[in-house]
Amino acid sequence: GAVVSQHPSWVICKSGTSVKIECRSLDFQATTMFWYRQFPKQSLMLMATSNEGSKATYEQGVEKDKFLINHASLTLSTLTVTSAHPEDSSFYICSATGGYYGYTFGSGTRLTVV
Amino acid sequence: GNSVTQMEGPVTLSEEAFLTINCTYTATGYPSLFWYVQYPGEGLQLLLKATKADDKGSNKGFEATYRKETTSFHLEKGSVQVSDSAVYFCAFIYGGSQGNLIFGKGTKLSVKP
């Protein structure tokens, strides 16, 4: 079946630094990838949708300059949190769709900014 | 607009108890319906799905039936186990199989031995 690998699974960084999170589809071509943010005890909030080779579409209220999304190939999308601050601490989850495969989720990344 | 409403948790049950988590949706057209499960510290896993009215999705002892007349997709399991402790999300897709996925707020289930 379809597998999406997300890396790293957790990361701690200092305030002001940038962090990159990778999302890879291992056995299918992901024409579309989604990035979600999950706050404690809350549902998933869609941050942005990206299609391979084109700019990401951000949801209202999500700062595109802060959350940089790149979908350069059919198997890889990256989310870079720039100049991270403690309020960016959260659980980030990617998802990919493509071909015959519906939504397949990564295992998530726990970001802690100190 | 399109939305999913699921029962608020947390739900705490004893092992072998019967589980029901209610889910209703508001959508135009004929969405596909899903239940996802999130174990502590992990991402989401697809638990089951149904793509048309009266379909029953099932997996790992969980079942849910697509009820178009009541726009519901309640999750049930006859006998829960401690290992079922997780957060369960009801969701649907509109706009085709790779369209927008709309989630409910999630229901946390805790099963005690």
Side-chain angles (χ1 to χ4, degrees):
Chain A
V3 176
V4 171
S5 173
Q6 186 172 342
H7 179 80
S9 55
W10 60 270
V11 58
I12 301 173
C13 71
K14 291 186 177 180
S15 188
T17 61
S18 295
V19 173
K20 180 184 284 188
I21 302 170
E22 292 189 349
C23 182
R24 293 180 184 271
S25 59
L26 298 186
D27 47 8
F28 68 103
Q29 293 184 327
T31 49
T32 305
M33 286 191 169
F34 306 85
W35 287 95
Y36 296 85
R37 181 173 180 177
Q38 186 178 31
F39 294 97
K41 300 182 180 180
Q42 293 191 29
S43 188
L44 283 76
M45 180 193 78
L46 178 64
M47 299 174 66
T49 302
S50 71
N51 294 296
E52 183 265 338
S54 61
K55 290 184 178 181
T57 301
Y58 290 81
E59 295 299 304
Q60 192 172 7
V62 178
E63 299 177 59
K64 60 180 67 176
D65 293 331
K66 177 158 198 65
F67 299 100
L68 300 179
I69 291 172
N70 184 282
H71 191 168
S73 77
L74 284 172
T75 59
L76 174 65
S77 177
T78 60
L79 167 67
T80 302
V81 183
T82 63
S83 187
H85 288 92
E87 58 266 29
D88 299 324
S89 298
S90 195
F91 193 61
Y92 293 88
I93 305 176
C94 72
S95 178
T97 64
Y100 295 108
Y101 298 105
Y103 281 76
T104 303
F105 287 85
S107 55
T109 298
R110 171 73 59 193
L111 170 63
T112 302
V113 185
V114 298
Chain B
N2 298 304
S3 65
V4 176
T5 302
Q6 64 181 103
M7 65 186 286
E8 291 189 23
V11 174
T12 303
L13 297 174
S14 297
E15 206 165 21
E16 299 184 2
F18 184 85
L19 168 71
T20 299
I21 300 178
N22 290 336
C23 171
T24 57
Y25 66 91
T26 301
T28 55
Y30 302 94
S32 294
L33 306 177
F34 305 83
W35 277 100
Y36 286 88
V37 58
Q38 183 179 32
Y39 297 102
E42 298 184 14
L44 270 67
Q45 300 176 28
L46 177 63
L47 180 61
L48 53 85
K49 68 178 182 180
T51 58
K52 60 182 187 296
D54 300 325
D55 267 2
K56 177 186 285 187
S58 61
N59 186 24
K60 300 181 181 180
F62 291 89
E63 293 183 340
T65 300
Y66 190 145
R67 300 289 188 198
K68 188 174 185 302
E69 63 278 12
T70 54
T71 61
S72 64
F73 193 54
H74 305 322
L75 182 68
E76 297 182 336
K77 185 172 186 180
S79 177
V80 294
Q81 305 300 313
V82 173
S83 57
D84 294 327
S85 298
V87 180
Y88 293 82
F89 292 93
C90 184
F92 74 84
I93 281 180
Y94 70 95
S97 62
Q98 297 177 14
N100 294 318
L101 187 61
I102 305 296
F103 286 97
K105 292 188 175 181
T107 303
K108 183 176 181 179
L109 169 67
S110 296
V111 180
K112 307 298 183 186

